[in-house]
Amino acid sequence: MTTPLTDSSAEQVRAACAAAAAAAPAWGLTPIPQRAALLRALADALQAAREALVPLADEETHLGPVRLNGELDRTAFQLRGFADQIEAGRAQPVQDDEAVPGAPPAGRPRLTRVAVPVGPVANFAASNFPFAFSVLGGDTAAALAAGCPVVVKAHPGHPRLSRAVAELAAAVLPAGVLQLVEGAGTAVGVALVRDPAIAAAAFTGSVRGGVALWKEANARPRPIPFYGELGSVNPVVALPSALAANGAALATQLAGSIVLGCGQFCTSPGLVLVRDDEPSRSFVRQLAEALAAANPHAMLNAGIRANFNAGVARLHGRTGVKSLLALPAREAAPGAHLFATDAATFLADEVLHEEVFGPSCVVVTVRDLDETLRVLAAVEGTLTVTLWGADEDTPAHRRLVAGAQAIAGRVLFAGVPTGVAVTAAQQHGGPWPSSTNGFTTSVGYAAIERFLRPVALQDAPAWLIAARGQA
């Protein structure tokens, strides 16, 4: 059950941004131990409110208490993790070059490179992760850790939960540090990105919505960075050696990944590349059987369900595309869909390159490595590529890895792409159109770098250098 939204007025959006701007100087100068303590206090408050928040989230998203309890814990883990990271110096990186007598280039003044918070950040909450990519999710945690206040645009798919979490945060954080605005249409988001107080924006959602806001961010009199995580098809390359050795288990594992969360993960595998041989054909049959036995839950909302229905309808009956599985809906839950085509058809039809957000996947049969690489290149940009069977050092595998790295932010050699670890080495962001900036990540502790701006201090006084070390 969802509650209809009343869009925040232009005055309310402006007031939220002004409050964040007023809070920015003090929050940016908050000593690191105090800032870390507040991040941990947010995590504690979130977990303490579990019994109220999880049922509310389930009413609005249909994701189920098991998934939502795990996601709440992940959100608390992220907040505590960023607290640990800033205590270790991640929010105050310092590179110090001592002075060298003489004129440049051999000589130089003392230069100390530091990082400063960019200022208020607009965070657009996601529909599919009502805790982990929402009011207190990863983007908010990273921005707060960097010393930036946040104005969150609540997602219309879970408005009551968003309000409850924002109220919880307001009881922990200093005034103005976290603000909430709401709106089901585009006006509130556009007003938020356009507001002169906003210094950066983070977004997780559709390609269409993200591109529109990205254009607004760049059209401002003073453009701002817009970190958008958009659509992704997440190809899985299943080499014959892997399928001959373990095809049945891999088919079961992949089917589980396709239907996980009813396919509503940004890392859901939507494309599988196989060869024209018996291990691959057997794997595809086993994949169809495993999907047929799966039972996806209801989708997040009627709009996402309608888009999914339209997406699979475009593929059924398409020239050169065979429908291997088209399960009927089970009450409110859609059935899984599996399609098959060849490389030539895939390369010629851009519709096949598009993400279908939900439990759907396209199998592409390729003849050889060259055709595999052409199909991957046609994807252009994706959050992940999974390579099964590239375990040995061969010229072919080196070419395949290079092709995967060219289009993806994360390359897997085992497992499936769903499930994104929160860690220092994580990269969740790939080349366009999977994200607007493939040089940054929205998951993991490097996410803080999006909201810090480097500044070089030349011949800085001793008190300033000492203050940086004590912050």
Side-chain angles (χ1 to χ4, degrees):
M1 180 180 71
T2 58
T3 300
L5 283 176
T6 299
D7 285 8
S8 298
S9 67
E11 292 76 17
Q12 289 171 322
V13 174
R14 182 69 196 100
C17 295
W27 182 245
L29 293 173
T30 301
I32 292 298
Q34 181 181 341
R35 199 186 304 166
L38 288 168
L39 289 172
R40 294 190 179 102
L42 287 172
D44 292 343
L46 193 64
Q47 291 184 308
R50 179 192 306 275
E51 297 304 318
L53 295 178
V54 168
L56 183 56
D58 193 25
E59 286 179 17
E60 294 191 307
T61 67
H62 318 294
L63 291 175
V66 173
R67 152 73 190 274
L68 290 166
N69 272 290
E71 191 184 325
L72 186 150
D73 288 333
R74 173 196 173 100
T75 307
F77 177 87
Q78 290 176 155
L79 288 161
R80 294 190 181 105
F82 276 108
D84 294 342
Q85 291 290 311
I86 62 176
E87 286 179 333
R90 192 140 205 165
Q92 298 287 347
V94 174
Q95 182 176 341
D96 195 35
D97 288 336
E98 295 289 344
V100 175
R108 64 176 185 236
R110 182 182 183 183
L111 285 165
T112 306
R113 185 183 177 92
V114 300
V116 299
V118 298
V121 172
N123 176 18
F124 290 79
S127 64
N128 55 338
F129 284 90
F131 289 111
F133 280 83
S134 189
V135 176
L136 285 180
D139 289 327
T140 294
L144 293 177
C148 301
V150 181
V151 182
V152 179
K153 181 185 178 294
H155 195 278
H158 38 85
R160 291 186 295 147
L161 176 67
S162 298
R163 294 176 200 135
V165 175
E167 290 172 6
L168 176 152
V172 173
L173 295 169
V177 171
L178 192 143
Q179 303 288 307
L180 187 75
V181 297
E182 302 182 34
T186 60
V188 172
V190 170
L192 184 56
V193 168
R194 287 179 178 175
D195 194 283
I198 296 298
F203 173 91
T204 299
S206 69
V207 173
R208 185 175 68 174
V211 168
L213 291 169
W214 172 72
K215 289 179 178 178
E216 291 287 349
N218 284 283
R220 289 171 35 135
R222 183 181 181 184
I224 59 171
F226 183 87
Y227 301 109
E229 183 208 308
L230 312 178
S232 184
V233 297
N234 305 297
V236 175
V237 179
L239 295 176
S241 59
L243 300 183
N246 205 23
L250 290 173
T252 299
Q253 187 177 28
L254 183 60
S257 183
I258 292 168
V259 301
L260 184 66
C262 200
Q264 298 167 119
F265 281 27
C266 52
T267 53
S268 182
L271 186 65
V272 181
L273 281 66
V274 298
R275 298 289 175 88
D276 187 10
D277 57 27
E278 186 49 40
S280 300
R281 286 188 286 272
S282 177
F283 166 78
V284 173
R285 289 193 297 270
Q286 292 162 337
L287 176 60
E289 291 169 1
L291 286 173
N295 187 22
H297 59 66
M299 301 195 86
L300 289 160
N301 57 59
I304 290 176
R305 176 68 178 274
N307 287 336
F308 173 73
N309 291 342
V312 294
R314 284 195 298 271
L315 298 179
H316 285 296
R318 198 163 192 86
T319 301
V321 177
K322 182 179 180 181
S323 297
L324 301 180
L325 184 71
L327 294 181
R330 301 172 183 175
E331 297 180 354
H337 294 251
L338 185 65
F339 305 90
T341 190
D342 57 27
T345 301
F346 181 87
L347 293 170
D349 190 348
E350 291 191 359
V351 169
L352 298 177
H353 307 177
E354 298 173 1
E355 177 189 30
V356 176
F357 194 63
S360 172
C361 186
V362 176
V363 177
V364 179
T365 299
V366 294
R367 292 175 296 182
D368 50 29
L369 175 61
D370 287 339
E371 207 162 62
T372 300
L373 294 173
R374 286 197 293 273
V375 169
L376 290 179
V379 171
E380 294 185 326
T382 182
L383 293 172
T384 73
V385 171
T386 302
L387 306 177
W388 289 340
D391 302 318
E392 297 181 3
D393 185 359
T394 68
H397 290 167
R398 290 192 174 209
R399 287 183 63 201
L400 183 59
V401 170
Q405 290 177 332
I407 67 164
R410 178 163 57 107
V411 180
L412 296 80
F413 297 88
V416 288
T418 44
V420 186
V422 181
T423 182
Q426 186 59 268
Q427 173 60 30
H428 191 65
W432 183 277
S434 63
S435 58
T436 58
N437 189 327
F439 297 89
T440 64
T441 181
S442 64
V443 177
Y445 301 122
I448 195 175
E449 296 166 8
R450 297 171 298 167
F451 310 122
L452 293 168
R453 182 174 60 82
V455 175
L457 307 176
Q458 183 167 322
D459 292 326
W463 70 264
L464 181 54
I465 302 300
R468 296 293 302 183
Q470 296 169 2

